[in-house]
Amino acid sequence: MTTDHITTDPTQIITIERYIFEEQQQHPDATGTLTDLLYDIALAGKVIASKTTRAGLAEILGRTNEINVQGEVVQKLDRFADLTIFRLNDHTGRLAVMGSEEHEGLLHIPEQYPIGKYILLFDPLDGSSNIDFNIPVGTIFSIYHRVTKSGPGTMLDVLQSGRNLVASGYILYGSSTMLVYTTGQGVHGFTLDHTVGEFLLSHPHIMIPDDPDYFSVNLGYEKYWTEGVRNYTDFLQGIDGLIKSLSLRYVGSLVADFHRNLMAGGVFYYPADNRDPTKPRGKLRLLYEAAPLAFIAEQAGGYASDGIGSILDIQPEDLHERTPLYIGNRPLVEKAEEYIREYDT
Ligand code: AFP
């Protein structure tokens, strides 16, 4: 028998299931449903990780030649991740309805299964255009309480502002697989130990460091930006001498870019630009990308804005609504708002 996976004192190991359970115990009225739901998402993450790390081998790499509702080519792994999350959550009686970035409409709970009290929104595989190049991708999820009283969940349940989030998180499929989540009691990170098949607590109570190292933006689009965004970018590079220059890091995979800045300090932004008249508010989706990460940023001491005000205060009007996003250290994000106020309004 091999024992090489037993590298840690077992009394020090905290599984994600135990951690979420103990966190929920602090709420006397908690029924355990949220704990179970988060654990189901962790399970989906493990299943998806098993495929993303074998993408080339499993002959699953590549495009399906289908166009999704965002007008993007659907990757096979996107479809697998999407189906995995849906199927692991459609029958549990915990959800009233789901929404996926890959689908135009709501994903209803099949008739034969019970309806629950939570709403789950997810971007099954964000950054999927990177898959063919072995670059990290991620799953982003958000959980709300339903607002309607009974029956299948409706658009009213889904179109809630980020202030109503019960929990949000992401799974990063990188050099290791990490799950980071918040239920409004701080941000906690878990790393998947493949040898035991479980997410183990590796980063409790994550806070964004005060002294930021990085800025992340697609500089290739600079010519499409407003004056405020260009001047803000100069500021981050220390060109006007107000701060030391930050290093530029841009993966083009939001979860990876966000995670690095969360751990090291920095700002990610995807501004509004005039590159594509059909997308005047940038590329990123409010409900599937910006709001869940904004909740995490705020819980880690940071801030997220659309350049004018908090992402969490935006009342969505459409399931696939887009928003400019500035996210990371609070002073850096507030500085973006300042530049936009001064030059663009
Ligand atoms: P894909 O899922 O099409 O790769 O898009 C990824 C993404 O939504 C987000 O993860 C990135 O931060 C952003 O788009 C990158 O967009 P650009 O390629 O325009 O910089």
Side-chain angles (χ1 to χ4, degrees):
M1 186 183 109
T2 166
T3 55
D4 58 358
H5 65 278
I6 307 172
T7 51
T8 322
D9 174 357
T11 60
Q12 300 299 311
I13 293 175
I14 300 177
T15 64
I16 192 165
E17 189 181 17
R18 176 175 161 193
Y19 198 81
I20 299 170
F21 175 75
E22 286 179 0
E23 205 185 46
Q24 291 307 299
Q25 293 288 92
Q26 290 163 28
H27 297 270
D29 51 342
T31 59
T33 310
L34 181 62
T35 305
D36 293 339
L37 176 51
L38 286 166
Y39 194 64
D40 288 340
I41 293 168
L43 177 60
K46 284 193 264 185
V47 175
I48 297 166
S50 73
K51 283 278 192 285
T52 54
T53 49
R54 305 182 62 246
L57 294 170
E59 290 183 349
I60 205 162
L61 200 73
R63 300 162 195 274
T64 56
N65 294 325
E66 282 174 26
I67 305 292
N68 71 9
V69 291
Q70 312 294 342
E72 297 153 350
V73 177
V74 179
Q75 305 282 326
K76 281 183 187 168
L77 262 175
D78 282 34
R79 186 192 276 172
F80 175 81
D82 187 52
L83 207 58
T84 300
I85 298 172
F86 180 74
R87 289 271 163 79
L88 284 174
N89 286 284
D90 67 351
H91 59 283
T92 60
R94 309 192 224 286
L95 296 175
V97 74
M98 288 182 251
S100 161
E101 194 247 329
E102 294 293 335
H103 297 265
E104 185 152 14
L106 297 176
L107 298 175
H108 289 287
I109 303 300
E111 268 176 23
Q112 66 269 35
Y113 299 130
I115 300 284
K117 60 182 179 181
Y118 287 106
I119 307 298
L120 174 64
L121 300 183
F122 55 92
D123 183 349
L125 216 56
D126 189 74
S128 56
S129 62
N130 286 315
I131 291 169
D132 286 353
F133 313 113
N134 212 349
I135 287 170
V137 289
T139 296
I140 307 175
F141 62 90
S142 4
I143 298 169
Y144 296 85
H145 283 297
R146 67 179 303 167
V147 291
T148 54
K149 293 271 178 276
S150 58
T154 69
M155 222 25 123
L156 213 60
D157 294 306
V158 170
L159 297 181
Q160 298 192 51
S161 86
R163 290 279 169 223
N164 292 352
L165 274 163
V166 172
S168 72
Y170 58 82
I171 303 157
L172 173 61
Y173 311 101
S175 48
S176 61
T177 301
M178 270 197 81
L179 188 151
V180 174
Y181 83 94
T182 183
T183 57
Q185 300 177 76
V187 178
H188 314 291
F190 300 78
T191 303
L192 181 61
D193 184 337
H194 286 281
T195 58
V196 295
E198 192 51 283
F199 281 104
L200 305 179
L201 181 65
S202 51
H203 299 73
H205 304 286
I206 298 170
M207 294 297 287
I208 303 182
D210 286 338
D211 196 14
D213 284 339
Y214 301 115
F215 76 105
S216 311
V217 68
N218 191 336
L219 261 189
Y221 300 151
E222 189 169 7
K223 70 174 179 181
Y224 302 108
W225 294 345
T226 60
E227 192 184 359
V229 176
R230 280 203 299 270
N231 288 344
Y232 174 58
T233 308
D234 287 352
F235 158 80
L236 294 172
Q237 295 173 88
I239 289 174
D240 46 19
L242 296 174
I243 57 166
K244 68 166 193 188
S245 54
L246 298 175
S247 286
L248 172 64
R249 295 278 189 284
Y250 190 70
V251 176
S253 191
L254 178 59
V255 175
D257 281 313
F258 176 78
H259 182 72
R260 184 197 47 250
N261 293 350
L262 179 73
M263 303 308 294
V267 62
F268 169 96
Y269 51 113
Y270 204 112
D273 60 37
N274 62 15
R275 193 164 52 101
D276 178 350
T278 65
K279 295 177 190 165
R281 289 180 59 77
K283 180 182 182 189
L284 303 179
R285 296 83 175 167
L286 174 62
L287 282 168
Y288 295 112
E289 294 167 308
L293 298 186
F295 190 30
I296 293 176
E298 283 209 1
Q299 284 291 313
Y303 175 50
S305 168
D306 64 351
I308 293 169
S310 173
I311 288 285
L312 293 177
D313 288 331
I314 302 175
Q315 172 59 47
E317 284 169 10
D318 184 274
L319 197 52
H320 293 280
E321 181 171 328
R322 295 176 195 269
T323 179
L325 175 66
Y326 298 80
I327 190 165
N329 285 71
R330 180 173 278 277
L332 291 182
V333 176
E334 286 177 345
K335 205 69 186 169
E337 290 178 338
E338 244 175 82
Y339 274 92
I340 287 166
R341 230 180 357 254
E342 186 172 345
Y343 293 97
D344 298 344
T345 51

